Amino acid sequence: MPYWHNFGAMGWFGGIGMLVLLVLVLASLVTLAVVLGRRAPQPPGPGDTARRILDERFARGEIDQEEYERRRDALTRAS
């Protein structure tokens, strides 16, 4: 006599348990990917790069303080 109604040692709960476990593992992987993606270093914005270049030019003495302040204020207003 075939035992088609016997679903294994754990019955329906085994199948449901495996499905729940699979969903938990997938949710954990997605959460891990999102957390690691947010921790990745972000490239500097265009304003940050311009300000850095301006600071470097002032430090090297290519521009005087008046020119530095004028350009810094212009960058601040543009941001």
Side-chain angles (χ1 to χ4, degrees):
M1 179 171 181
Y3 295 103
W4 57 270
H5 62 279
N6 187 3
F7 296 103
M10 293 191 292
W12 281 100
F13 296 111
I16 293 172
M18 290 298 288
L19 184 63
V20 169
L21 182 62
L22 177 65
V23 168
L24 288 175
V25 168
L26 290 176
S28 298
L29 290 175
V30 168
T31 302
L32 181 64
V34 167
V35 167
L36 291 177
R38 288 184 180 169
R39 286 186 166 186
Q42 302 296 325
D48 296 337
T49 304
R51 177 63 187 264
R52 183 181 50 80
I53 292 170
L54 182 64
D55 290 343
E56 289 173 0
R57 288 187 64 199
F58 180 65
R60 285 192 299 261
E62 294 177 10
I63 57 176
D64 61 356
Q65 184 172 357
E66 182 181 324
E67 180 72 12
Y68 171 77
E69 290 173 354
R70 186 177 65 79
R71 290 183 182 213
R72 184 193 62 205
D73 291 343
L75 284 175
T76 304
R77 283 191 306 266
S79 298

